[in-house]
Amino acid sequence: MSVFFYGCVTLDGYLADKRHRLDWLHQTGTAEETGYQDFYSRMDITLMGRRTFREIEGLGDPAEIYPATQNLVFTHRPLSCPGFRAVCGDPAELVRGIPREKNVWIIGGNTILAPLLEADLVDGMTIQIAPVLLGEGIPLFTQGEGCIRFRLAGVKQYGQFAELCYERAAPAAL
């Protein structure tokens, strides 16, 4: 199993504005301008939180947006959207139970990403940076993850987006 974060942040490191909205992203460009389709075609499972799911619902039918993956939403509320299943508990424990041959995409915020980073379960991160400063909002990282090393594997430009691809760094020799 490989676990990936793929997402876009502002120049000042925010995933969403203070109301958890992504208007700034939709006003900057579209997924067609990035390597999104190639990335998504390699994923088997998506993991997201309830707020991210609500944002996706605002874009249209979530089942049409993520038709080829098993989609898990961390929430305590039931979901009535076909193709999406409510889950709860520890994200790291859930990920450890996923079969090895599956690729997992962490969509959205640090509530899911932080515990997976802390458990050393994130194999790669593709972070696109949009030329927007929000000044405040929801940060990608909680600042409590500790020192975790990644290796720069590639840099691309898609329209106004800069894309940085990172792989988990090999453990340092003692």
Side-chain angles (χ1 to χ4, degrees):
M1 164 194 48
S2 293
V3 178
F4 302 93
F5 171 82
Y6 179 100
C8 188
V9 297
T10 62
L11 279 172
D12 47 357
Y14 296 111
L15 278 170
D17 69 19
K18 64 183 178 180
R19 296 172 307 163
H20 298 271
R21 301 291 313 199
L22 297 175
D23 298 339
W24 62 270
L25 176 60
H26 303 304
Q27 295 163 359
T28 305
T30 64
E32 289 76 24
E33 297 176 75
T34 68
Y36 168 78
Q37 286 297 5
D38 180 54
F39 175 83
Y40 181 68
S41 71
R42 297 188 317 261
M43 295 299 111
D44 301 297
I45 299 170
T46 68
L47 297 179
M48 67 189 80
R50 178 72 179 181
R51 287 185 178 129
T52 300
F53 178 73
R54 279 198 310 240
E55 188 67 26
I56 292 166
E57 281 183 309
L59 299 174
D61 180 5
E64 289 180 13
I65 296 171
Y66 300 110
T69 47
Q70 177 185 359
N71 304 294
L72 306 177
V73 180
F74 280 89
T75 181
H76 295 286
R77 299 179 185 150
L79 297 176
S80 59
C81 182
F84 287 77
R85 184 170 56 118
V87 296
C88 58
D90 177 21
E93 187 176 314
L94 183 132
V95 166
R96 284 186 190 105
I98 293 173
R100 289 200 167 290
E101 69 274 4
K102 301 294 184 183
N103 285 327
V104 179
W105 173 18
I106 305 160
I107 303 175
N110 59 36
T111 305
I112 297 169
L113 181 58
L116 296 175
L117 284 167
E118 291 166 12
D120 196 29
L121 292 171
V122 178
D123 299 296
M125 292 195 288
T126 299
I127 301 172
Q128 294 165 348
I129 302 171
V132 177
L133 293 170
L134 288 179
E136 61 183 345
I138 310 305
L140 174 56
F141 301 108
T142 64
Q143 307 305 311
E145 291 88 0
C147 181
I148 303 167
R149 298 213 180 262
F150 284 84
R151 182 186 74 74
L152 182 64
V155 177
K156 296 178 183 168
Q157 179 179 349
Y158 294 106
Q160 291 298 304
F161 298 101
E163 182 178 88
L164 306 172
C165 297
Y166 295 97
E167 297 172 345
R168 185 188 338 211
L174 296 177

